[in-house]
Amino acid sequence: MRDFDNMPGHLARRFQQIAVAVFHGEVDEAGFDLTPVQFAALSAIEANPGLDQATLAGLIAYDRTTIGGVVDRLVQKGLAERKASSTDRRARILSITSSGKQTLEGIGPAVDKAQRILLRGLSDDEAETLMRLLRKAVDAGNDLSRAPQRTPSVGTPRR
């Protein structure tokens, strides 16, 4: 019998479950209605003015076929705008609204608190090591994902 409690895939899934629960708990308590994926998308839109939906999907490592639904919800909430590209009729150019900027500013403390809660059982050095190792493992496996993270050819470097 395999010891699934010591398998990286099982632990990664559990950590993701915990991360989503903590995010929702803190964000809901702060009075915001945003999912982790919507937060990532809105943050990427703000950081990359004028990006299209396909680029957004790559930036946040989200499936290109379903990113439209995420953007739909951001638009419905008045947090982002979507317009047809002037150079490519198939592309949709995204921008953040003033309400979206206010939401990101207001939600920041709740998101920061959620990140601290996720690392609360670790010392500062352990938290730094965990983050370094997670980045290393994710970067090494990025091409194996159904939705690999892609950085735009022009824009902000990945942190």
Side-chain angles (χ1 to χ4, degrees), residues 73-120:
R73 287 182 282 291
L74 292 174
V75 169
Q76 289 167 357
K77 292 176 181 185
L79 305 176
E81 293 178 337
R82 175 176 37 205
K83 298 178 184 169
S85 169
S86 60
T87 58
D88 181 352
R89 292 182 309 148
R90 298 169 296 166
R92 300 290 176 254
I93 303 303
L94 305 170
S95 59
I96 190 168
T97 64
S98 59
S99 180
K101 288 180 182 182
Q102 290 174 347
T103 295
L104 283 180
E105 188 175 306
I107 203 173
V111 172
D112 292 344
K113 184 176 179 186
Q115 304 318 296
R116 287 191 305 275
I117 290 170
L118 288 173
L119 300 173
R120 71 180 176 190

Coordinates of all heavy atoms in Angstrom, one line a residue, residues 73-120:
R73 N -17.1 37.2 -15.9 CA -17.5 37.5 -14.5 C -16.9 38.8 -14.0 O -17.5 39.6 -13.4 CB -17.2 36.4 -13.6 CG -18.2 35.2 -13.8 CD -18.0 34.0 -12.9 NE -16.9 33.1 -13.2 CZ -16.9 32.3 -14.3 NH1 -17.9 32.3 -15.1 NH2 -15.8 31.6 -14.5
L74 N -15.7 39.1 -14.4 CA -15.0 40.4 -14.1 C -15.7 41.5 -14.8 O -15.9 42.6 -14.1 CB -13.5 40.3 -14.5 CG -12.7 39.4 -13.6 CD1 -11.2 39.4 -14.2 CD2 -12.6 39.8 -12.2
V75 N -16.1 41.3 -16.0 CA -16.9 42.4 -16.7 C -18.2 42.6 -16.1 O -18.6 43.7 -15.9 CB -17.0 42.0 -18.2 CG1 -17.9 43.0 -19.0 CG2 -15.6 42.1 -18.9
Q76 N -18.9 41.5 -15.8 CA -20.3 41.6 -15.1 C -20.2 42.3 -13.8 O -21.1 43.1 -13.4 CB -20.9 40.2 -15.0 CG -21.3 39.6 -16.2 CD -21.6 38.1 -16.0 OE1 -21.5 37.5 -15.0 NE2 -22.0 37.4 -17.1
K77 N -19.1 42.2 -13.1 CA -18.9 42.8 -11.8 C -18.4 44.3 -12.0 O -18.3 45.0 -11.0 CB -17.9 42.0 -10.9 CG -18.4 40.7 -10.5 CD -17.4 39.9 -9.7 CE -17.9 38.5 -9.3 NZ -17.0 37.8 -8.5
G78 N -18.2 44.7 -13.2 CA -17.7 46.0 -13.4 C -16.3 46.3 -13.1 O -15.8 47.4 -12.9
L79 N -15.5 45.2 -13.0 CA -14.1 45.3 -12.6 C -13.1 45.4 -13.8 O -12.0 45.8 -13.6 CB -13.7 44.1 -11.7 CG -14.6 43.9 -10.5 CD1 -14.2 42.7 -9.7 CD2 -14.5 45.2 -9.6
A80 N -13.6 44.9 -14.9 CA -12.7 44.9 -16.1 C -13.6 45.2 -17.3 O -14.9 45.1 -17.3 CB -12.1 43.6 -16.3
E81 N -13.0 45.6 -18.4 CA -13.6 45.9 -19.7 C -13.0 45.1 -20.8 O -11.8 44.8 -20.7 CB -13.6 47.4 -20.1 CG -14.3 48.3 -19.1 CD -14.2 49.8 -19.5 OE1 -13.2 50.1 -20.2 OE2 -15.1 50.5 -19.1
R82 N -13.8 44.7 -21.7 CA -13.3 43.9 -22.8 C -13.7 44.6 -24.1 O -14.9 44.9 -24.3 CB -13.8 42.5 -22.7 CG -13.5 41.6 -23.9 CD -14.0 40.2 -23.7 NE -15.3 40.1 -23.0 CZ -15.7 39.0 -22.3 NH1 -15.0 38.0 -22.2 NH2 -16.9 39.0 -21.8
K83 N -12.8 44.8 -25.0 CA -13.1 45.4 -26.3 C -12.4 44.6 -27.4 O -11.4 44.0 -27.2 CB -12.5 46.9 -26.3 CG -13.2 47.8 -25.3 CD -12.5 49.1 -25.4 CE -13.1 50.0 -24.2 NZ -12.4 51.2 -24.0
A84 N -13.0 44.7 -28.6 CA -12.4 44.0 -29.8 C -11.1 44.8 -30.1 O -11.0 46.0 -30.0 CB -13.3 44.1 -30.9
S85 N -10.1 44.0 -30.5 CA -8.8 44.5 -30.9 C -8.9 45.3 -32.2 O -9.6 44.8 -33.1 CB -7.8 43.4 -31.0 OG -6.6 43.9 -31.6
S86 N -8.2 46.4 -32.3 CA -8.2 47.1 -33.6 C -7.4 46.5 -34.7 O -7.5 46.7 -35.8 CB -7.8 48.6 -33.4 OG -6.5 48.6 -32.9
T87 N -6.5 45.6 -34.2 CA -5.6 44.9 -35.2 C -5.9 43.4 -35.5 O -5.5 42.9 -36.4 CB -4.1 45.0 -34.7 OG1 -4.0 44.3 -33.4 CG2 -3.6 46.4 -34.6
D88 N -6.7 42.8 -34.6 CA -7.1 41.4 -34.8 C -8.5 41.2 -34.3 O -8.8 41.3 -33.1 CB -6.1 40.5 -34.0 CG -6.4 39.0 -34.1 OD1 -7.5 38.7 -34.7 OD2 -5.7 38.2 -33.6
R89 N -9.4 41.1 -35.2 CA -10.9 41.0 -34.9 C -11.2 39.8 -33.9 O -12.2 39.9 -33.2 CB -11.7 40.8 -36.2 CG -11.7 42.0 -37.1 CD -12.6 41.8 -38.3 NE -12.3 40.6 -38.9 CZ -13.2 39.8 -39.6 NH1 -14.4 40.2 -39.7 NH2 -12.8 38.7 -40.2
R90 N -10.4 38.8 -33.9 CA -10.6 37.7 -33.0 C -10.2 37.9 -31.6 O -10.7 37.3 -30.7 CB -9.9 36.4 -33.6 CG -10.4 36.0 -34.9 CD -9.4 34.9 -35.5 NE -8.1 35.6 -35.7 CZ -7.0 34.9 -35.9 NH1 -7.0 33.6 -35.9 NH2 -5.9 35.5 -36.0
A91 N -9.3 38.9 -31.4 CA -8.7 39.1 -30.1 C -9.6 40.1 -29.3 O -10.2 41.0 -29.9 CB -7.3 39.7 -30.2
R92 N -9.6 39.9 -28.0 CA -10.3 40.8 -27.1 C -9.3 41.4 -26.2 O -8.6 40.7 -25.4 CB -11.4 40.0 -26.3 CG -12.4 39.3 -27.1 CD -13.4 40.3 -27.7 NE -14.3 39.7 -28.6 CZ -14.2 39.7 -29.9 NH1 -13.3 40.3 -30.5 NH2 -15.2 39.2 -30.7
I93 N -9.3 42.7 -26.2 CA -8.3 43.5 -25.4 C -9.0 43.8 -24.0 O -10.1 44.2 -24.0 CB -7.9 44.8 -26.1 CG1 -7.3 44.5 -27.5 CG2 -6.9 45.6 -25.3 CD1 -6.1 43.5 -27.5
L94 N -8.2 43.6 -23.0 CA -8.7 43.8 -21.6 C -8.1 45.0 -20.9 O -7.0 45.4 -21.1 CB -8.4 42.6 -20.8 CG -8.9 41.2 -21.4 CD1 -8.3 40.1 -20.7 CD2 -10.4 41.2 -21.5
S95 N -9.0 45.6 -20.1 CA -8.5 46.7 -19.3 C -9.2 46.7 -18.0 O -10.3 46.2 -17.9 CB -8.7 48.1 -20.0 OG -10.0 48.3 -20.2
I96 N -8.6 47.2 -17.0 CA -9.2 47.3 -15.6 C -10.0 48.6 -15.5 O -9.6 49.6 -16.0 CB -8.1 47.2 -14.5 CG1 -8.7 46.9 -13.2 CG2 -7.1 48.3 -14.6 CD1 -7.7 46.5 -12.1
T97 N -11.1 48.5 -14.8 CA -11.9 49.7 -14.6 C -11.4 50.4 -13.3 O -10.6 49.8 -12.5 CB -13.4 49.4 -14.4 OG1 -13.5 48.5 -13.3 CG2 -13.9 48.7 -15.7
S98 N -11.9 51.6 -13.0 CA -11.6 52.2 -11.8 C -12.1 51.4 -10.6 O -11.5 51.3 -9.5 CB -12.1 53.7 -11.7 OG -13.6 53.7 -11.9
S99 N -13.3 50.8 -10.7 CA -13.8 49.9 -9.7 C -12.9 48.7 -9.5 O -12.7 48.3 -8.4 CB -15.2 49.5 -10.1 OG -15.8 48.6 -9.1
G100 N -12.3 48.2 -10.6 CA -11.4 47.1 -10.5 C -10.1 47.5 -9.7 O -9.6 46.7 -8.9
K101 N -9.6 48.7 -10.0 CA -8.5 49.2 -9.3 C -8.8 49.3 -7.8 O -8.0 49.0 -6.9 CB -8.0 50.5 -9.9 CG -7.3 50.3 -11.2 CD -6.9 51.7 -11.8 CE -6.3 51.5 -13.1 NZ -5.8 52.7 -13.7
Q102 N -10.0 49.9 -7.5 CA -10.4 50.0 -6.1 C -10.5 48.7 -5.4 O -10.1 48.5 -4.2 CB -11.7 50.8 -6.0 CG -11.5 52.3 -6.4 CD -12.9 53.0 -6.4 OE1 -14.0 52.3 -6.4 NE2 -12.9 54.3 -6.5
T103 N -11.0 47.7 -6.1 CA -11.2 46.4 -5.5 C -9.8 45.8 -5.2 O -9.6 45.2 -4.1 CB -12.0 45.5 -6.5 OG1 -13.3 46.0 -6.6 CG2 -12.0 44.0 -6.0
L104 N -8.9 45.9 -6.2 CA -7.5 45.3 -5.9 C -6.9 46.0 -4.7 O -6.2 45.4 -3.9 CB -6.6 45.5 -7.1 CG -6.9 44.4 -8.2 CD1 -6.0 44.7 -9.4 CD2 -6.8 43.0 -7.7
E105 N -7.1 47.3 -4.6 CA -6.5 48.1 -3.5 C -7.1 47.6 -2.2 O -6.5 47.4 -1.2 CB -6.7 49.6 -3.7 CG -5.9 50.4 -2.7 CD -6.0 51.9 -3.0 OE1 -5.7 52.3 -4.2 OE2 -6.5 52.6 -2.1
G106 N -8.4 47.5 -2.2 CA -9.2 47.2 -1.0 C -9.0 45.7 -0.6 O -8.9 45.4 0.6
I107 N -8.8 44.8 -1.5 CA -8.7 43.4 -1.2 C -7.3 43.0 -0.8 O -7.1 42.0 -0.2 CB -9.1 42.6 -2.4 CG1 -9.6 41.2 -2.0 CG2 -8.1 42.5 -3.5 CD1 -10.2 40.3 -3.2
G108 N -6.3 43.9 -1.1 CA -4.9 43.6 -0.8 C -4.6 43.1 0.6 O -4.0 42.1 0.8
P109 N -5.1 43.8 1.6 CA -4.8 43.3 3.0 C -5.4 41.9 3.3 O -4.7 41.1 3.9 CB -5.5 44.4 3.9 CG -5.5 45.6 3.1 CD -5.7 45.1 1.6
A110 N -6.5 41.6 2.7 CA -7.1 40.3 3.0 C -6.3 39.2 2.2 O -6.1 38.1 2.8 CB -8.6 40.2 2.5
V111 N -5.8 39.5 1.0 CA -5.0 38.6 0.3 C -3.7 38.4 1.0 O -3.2 37.2 1.2 CB -4.8 39.0 -1.2 CG1 -3.8 38.2 -1.9 CG2 -6.1 39.0 -1.9
D112 N -3.1 39.5 1.5 CA -1.8 39.4 2.2 C -2.0 38.5 3.5 O -1.2 37.7 3.8 CB -1.3 40.8 2.6 CG -0.9 41.6 1.4 OD1 -0.6 41.0 0.3 OD2 -0.7 42.8 1.5
K113 N -3.1 38.7 4.2 CA -3.4 38.0 5.4 C -3.5 36.5 5.1 O -3.0 35.6 5.8 CB -4.6 38.5 6.1 CG -4.9 37.8 7.4 CD -6.1 38.4 8.2 CE -6.3 37.6 9.5 NZ -7.6 38.1 10.1
A114 N -4.2 36.2 4.0 CA -4.4 34.8 3.6 C -3.1 34.1 3.3 O -2.8 33.0 3.7 CB -5.3 34.7 2.3
Q115 N -2.1 34.9 2.7 CA -0.8 34.3 2.4 C -0.1 34.0 3.7 O 0.6 33.0 3.8 CB 0.0 35.2 1.5 CG -0.7 35.6 0.2 CD -1.4 34.4 -0.5 OE1 -0.7 33.5 -0.9 NE2 -2.7 34.5 -0.7
R116 N -0.2 34.9 4.6 CA 0.5 34.7 5.9 C -0.1 33.5 6.7 O 0.6 32.7 7.3 CB 0.4 36.0 6.8 CG 1.3 37.1 6.4 CD 1.3 38.2 7.4 NE 0.0 38.8 7.8 CZ -0.7 39.7 7.1 NH1 -0.2 40.3 6.0 NH2 -1.9 40.1 7.6
I117 N -1.4 33.4 6.6 CA -2.1 32.2 7.2 C -1.6 30.9 6.6 O -1.3 29.9 7.3 CB -3.6 32.3 7.1 CG1 -4.1 33.5 8.0 CG2 -4.3 31.0 7.5 CD1 -5.6 33.8 7.8
L118 N -1.4 30.9 5.3 CA -0.9 29.7 4.6 C 0.5 29.2 5.1 O 0.8 28.1 5.1 CB -0.9 29.9 3.1 CG -2.3 29.9 2.5 CD1 -2.1 30.3 1.0 CD2 -3.0 28.6 2.6
L119 N 1.3 30.2 5.5 CA 2.6 29.9 5.9 C 2.8 30.0 7.4 O 4.0 29.9 7.9 CB 3.6 30.9 5.2 CG 3.6 30.9 3.7 CD1 4.4 32.0 3.1 CD2 4.0 29.5 3.2
R120 N 1.7 30.1 8.2 CA 1.8 30.3 9.6 C 2.6 29.2 10.4 O 3.1 29.5 11.5 CB 0.5 30.6 10.2 CG -0.4 29.3 10.3 CD -1.7 29.7 10.9 NE -2.6 28.5 10.8 CZ -3.9 28.5 11.1 NH1 -4.4 29.6 11.4 NH2 -4.6 27.4 11.0

